[in-house]
Amino acid sequence: MSADHRSPSIQQSQIDEILGGRRMRRNRRADWSRRLVRETVLSVDDLIWPIFLIEGSGIRQPVPSMPGVERLSVDEAVRDAVKAEALGIPVLALFPYTDDALRDATGSEALNSDNLVCRACREIKKLGLNIGLMTDVALDPYTSHGHDGLLSGDKILNDETVAQLCRQALTQVDAGADIIGPSDMMDGRVGAIRMALDDAGMRDAQIMSYSAKYASAFYGPFRDAIGTNATLIGDKRTYQMDSANTDEALREAELDIAEGADMIMVKPGLPYLDIVWRLKDTFRMPTYAYQVSGEFAMIEAASANGWIDGERAMLESLMAFKRAGADGILTYFAPRIADLLARAK
Ligand code: PBG
């Protein structure tokens, strides 16, 4: 090929001069070396596995918009809890698909000490596994309108909702929940729940606050899974955060920490890694991210079409959370990641 302007004849000595001995690729040349310089480690200890519950027994009902995810009857949830412990996953997060007949305007089923979540907590706790149970504090799985709080007309009532959430939290801890996860975004709920728990002598119950929870399009498949997509009236923008805001996330987290949160969380995950980073950097709290249903569905859908390598995308996405400073991730990939990590050993 003749030398022309597209292939200038640069000399080796010139390249050496430019690099001055600094070659970034040296450390990347072999697997052992890449491992040696790796900054971030993903471990099974970083995983929280969200599971969905449904009435019945022996039921594993697929959620179409979340390939590989199923709604589980309590007995099946117990089996998955055993599996989670065997895999080394530290925490399960429980979400119920409530029978339509049990949903009402005030979400009263949330206070039923025999509801799905409470029964699952009790059954799993009976086994004495080395695993934590996290329960969601919010009314949406139980309300006929699909909102996280009590409604008056089209307004969500903050303080009345908080009172209800305190009772919900007590009911869950009484059934065996270890970590209370308020996902409702009402003002003052962390402090109120802490106070209610302490008054009831439940001083050891932890609170992982959904501190920065955004009004997001990425919750769609989750709402299929718990059956609120069809019923939700309007949207959640008067309580969940505006995706344009980041300073506001700092204020939310600051309040939650002052009110007694033990751990804070950002949700959704990947589109909000800047928030994860800012919260971790600012508060140095145990900080978590929720890789939500829509994020999971996107990876699964692209993978099913052969457009991306699903397994690699899954691992890369989880590594990104760790790199951004997350101490752990709620992810529907949890059992698959745990399995992969175990086999890689
Ligand atoms: C509601 C709640 C939501 C999720 C967890 N708790 C959805 C919502 O706010 O409508 C979403 C989780 C996911 O999408 O995976 N309390």
Side-chain angles (χ1 to χ4, degrees):
M1 234 181 34
S2 66
D4 62 23
H5 65 286
R6 279 168 300 172
S7 55
S9 57
I10 186 144
Q11 305 295 315
Q12 181 65 54
S13 61
Q14 293 174 299
I15 291 184
D16 286 340
E17 187 187 326
I18 290 163
L19 292 176
R22 295 171 293 260
R23 286 182 183 268
M24 294 301 289
R25 291 182 54 200
R26 254 181 231 126
N27 285 343
R28 291 178 210 143
R29 71 195 172 94
D31 175 69
W32 60 263
S33 182
R34 290 191 291 272
R35 282 191 282 127
L36 186 69
V37 300
R38 189 160 293 154
E39 299 170 41
T40 310
V41 180
L42 177 65
S43 138
V44 68
D45 298 330
D46 302 322
L47 303 174
I48 298 176
W49 181 10
I51 64 170
F52 298 109
L53 302 166
I54 193 161
E55 216 46 74
S57 70
I59 292 177
R60 305 189 73 97
Q61 186 182 82
V63 179
S65 53
M66 301 179 72
V69 173
E70 300 159 314
R71 301 184 191 100
L72 310 173
S73 51
V74 171
D75 55 332
E76 292 293 329
V78 169
R79 293 174 57 159
D80 277 16
V82 172
K83 175 175 157 189
E85 191 206 35
L87 286 167
I89 295 172
V91 178
L92 282 184
L94 309 178
F95 296 94
Y97 178 100
T98 308
D99 271 352
D100 285 344
L102 296 173
R103 298 182 200 220
D104 60 22
T106 63
S108 57
E109 178 66 5
L111 307 183
N112 175 4
S113 60
D114 225 19
N115 68 23
L116 263 178
V117 165
C118 291
R119 266 182 283 140
C121 283
R122 252 183 256 115
E123 291 303 315
I124 294 169
K125 279 289 157 180
K126 269 186 198 161
L127 303 184
L129 304 171
N130 179 18
I131 196 169
L133 295 181
M134 174 164 164
T135 52
D136 205 61
V137 167
L139 301 179
D140 55 318
Y142 310 100
T143 51
S144 42
H145 44 71
H147 279 290
D148 295 24
L150 303 172
L151 272 181
S152 170
D154 60 358
K155 276 210 176 67
I156 303 285
L157 303 171
N158 191 86
D159 303 3
E160 293 81 349
T161 300
V162 169
Q164 176 102 327
L165 298 175
C166 288
R167 292 194 289 270
Q168 182 182 22
L170 293 181
T171 309
Q172 293 173 346
V173 174
D174 195 51
D178 299 291
I179 305 177
I180 291 300
S183 72
D184 54 283
M185 290 303 277
M186 296 301 120
D187 288 325
R189 90 281 205 213
V190 171
I193 290 170
R194 184 73 270 161
M195 204 176 274
L197 291 171
D198 289 354
D199 280 351
M202 298 166 169
R203 295 185 181 80
D204 289 337
Q206 292 153 272
I207 298 177
M208 180 188 290
S209 178
Y210 288 66
S211 294
K213 176 171 177 178
Y214 288 86
S216 172
F218 292 101
Y219 305 148
F222 173 94
R223 292 180 188 168
D224 285 339
I226 67 161
T228 57
N229 251 342
T231 49
L232 182 63
I233 299 166
D235 58 47
K236 301 191 176 184
R237 287 173 212 263
T238 68
Y239 45 109
Q240 298 180 348
M241 284 179 56
D242 182 336
S243 64
N245 296 352
T246 135
D247 287 340
E248 189 184 341
L250 261 70
R251 288 202 64 213
E252 282 284 2
E254 189 176 19
L255 289 169
D256 287 356
I257 294 163
E259 290 175 28
D262 302 287
M263 303 172 255
I264 57 177
M265 191 215 294
V266 174
K267 176 184 176 188
L270 277 196
Y272 295 85
L273 286 190
D274 56 325
I275 310 297
V276 175
W277 174 263
R278 275 195 92 188
L279 294 196
K280 184 63 184 178
D281 201 43
T282 305
F283 300 110
R284 301 275 144 200
M285 285 285 287
T287 304
Y288 299 81
Y290 198 143
Q291 181 174 48
V292 299
S293 56
E295 302 175 60
F296 172 85
M298 287 196 298
I299 292 176
E300 283 302 298
S303 170
N305 275 293
W307 295 336
I308 59 172
D309 177 332
E311 188 169 298
R312 285 187 52 203
M314 164 179 85
L315 284 167
E316 189 176 328
S317 67
L318 275 270
M319 192 58 89
F321 286 109
K322 291 300 305 283
R323 202 185 58 237
D327 294 290
I329 307 105
L330 289 95
T331 175
Y332 303 98
F333 289 123
R336 275 160 62 189
I337 306 263
D339 202 46
L340 266 182
L341 291 174
R343 278 190 281 123
K345 280 218 180 98

